[in-house]
Amino acid sequence: MSNTTLTIVFLVLYVLIIIGVGIWNRNSSTSEDYFLGSRQLPAWLLAITFIASWWGGGSAIDLVDHAHQNGLSSFWIYGVPVLIATGLMYLFAGGIRNIGSISQPQLMRQRYNDTTALLLTIFIIIFMVIAASIQVIVVAKFFKAYFDMSYEAGAVLGTVIVLIYSLFGGFKGVVLTDFLQFIFFLFTAIFLFYITYNQSGGWEAVKEIAETNNKLGYTSFFNKVSDNLAYVITFGTSWMIQANIWQRISAAKKASDAKKMMLLSFFAFIPLYLMVTYTGMFSSVFYDSVPESGIVPHILSNYKSPIISAILFVGLSSAIMSTMDSLVNTGALSLTVDVYQKYINPKASEKHQVNIGRISTFIIGGAALFIALKIQSVLKISWLGSDFLTSGAFIPLIFGFLWVRGTSTAASISMFFGLLFSSYNLMVALGADFPVAWEIASTKQALIGISISLILYVSISFFTKDDFVKNRAFIKKANILNRK
């Protein structure tokens, strides 16, 4: 049996398993059950689904290729922002869970008003669709390289698989399938690390080939850190307030479980991202340049054992899809709870809301597929998607937990600026001939966006009035500082 045939068999079996898990968990009677698993999931399982959401397609494919070219400092592109975001979320996790809202906009409405909640909903939907489309791009290119199918067919196939089990299972189905996908991908990542380590000859061989090719600083963690600061700032801040992660925090049984989930994840991310980085560096010994299909797909499709090759392929596919399903589910949450339930049909029954949640899942997945079929670039659009959250939502969300003087008017104006600023940059990146005083997707752009957002929020807060009794009650309920 050929590699391709055997891989298809394994992929079909895998798909049947995760679809079965999704259908098994289809009986959701309330929106809280559908989107938060009734807040009954243990901290360790939430930690795994959190890890699976971030340690996905970007890490598996993109970071390996970056590390091959740039060495150990590539860890700053994904690993450092993840650790910064997770560390910040550890500090805020208890407060987020104490508020007890289902969605981020609901939380924003409790702290500020309807306007800020609506603006945040817009940010979340934009971010989730763009982020999900990136995973569609990754899985489409991966399927194309491995099966020699068209990019379009790979994109449709990957999206359909995710939508089927997400439509039936809701958040609990996503969590349980994320657990299976994490196990699959962990095996794949360890095996790839082992293969590249053995084939390269180890760390000394990496250092030797770097010296031969005159790659100065290749094995230094701090080499050319300034080149990656744009990613550290934008990814670190935007991922810290990423709605699908706050959804997992809100799903914890209690505040202490939410903090435990973040702590477990923080220490797990360090070896996981280092392992992926070292895999790319080891591959530099036997790859002069990154193959057109990428290092990981090339290794898998050419591995001598068809069975191992098929298992590794399924493991990597599961990582990509685990990230995609999380993003789609959270985008559907915003459409259902923060748009339909709030503005269209506030009196909808719980059963009706669950059905709307499934329709929203299809809408978010379909929109992500549409974008992926039109745009096939990953890193820059990923950065621009994150910029919406960094420039528009980070300051009002974080200060809302800490500063009672922060007003609803200030939050609205700060967020509206972020929406205009990020939309302008996105249009320029997509080809619009607008004047700009900064390079798109640069450290300068990131600093300008978040600085103006902060200045607007703080200064306008001093000149506007608000319900400070309500603000104080919110901060007290969140209890970020754990005051008794």
Side-chain angles (χ1 to χ4, degrees), residues 6-7 10 146 184-185 187-188 300 305-318:
L6 189 61
T7 301
F10 273 65
Y146 202 90
F184 271 118
F185 182 54
F187 171 78
T188 302
L300 297 187
S305 168
I307 295 177
I308 297 297
S309 177
I311 293 173
L312 296 179
F313 169 84
V314 172
L316 186 54
S317 299
S318 71

Side-chain angles (χ1 to χ4, degrees), residues 31 41 140 163 171 268 277 282 307 373 390 413 415 418 431:
S31 55
L41 300 172
L163 284 181
F171 180 69
T277 304
F282 290 141
I307 295 177
L373 293 175
T390 297
I413 293 174
M415 294 175 76

Side-chain angles (χ1 to χ4, degrees), residues 109-127:
R109 188 175 293 111
Q110 287 188 51
R111 174 57 177 84
Y112 298 112
N113 57 19
D114 286 347
T115 302
T116 56
L118 178 59
L119 284 168
L120 183 58
T121 299
I122 294 170
F123 284 125
I124 290 171
I125 292 174
I126 290 173
F127 177 83

Side-chain angles (χ1 to χ4, degrees), residues 55-103:
W55 193 52
S59 303
I61 297 176
D62 202 39
L63 184 53
V64 169
D65 293 344
H66 276 288
H68 171 279
Q69 296 172 312
N70 304 308
L72 188 56
S73 64
S74 297
F75 187 84
W76 286 80
I77 297 176
Y78 291 107
V80 171
V82 161
L83 293 177
I84 290 173
T86 308
L88 287 171
M89 278 192 288
Y90 172 77
L91 299 177
F92 283 82
I96 295 167
R97 179 60 187 89
N98 285 336
I99 294 300
S101 60
I102 292 179
S103 70

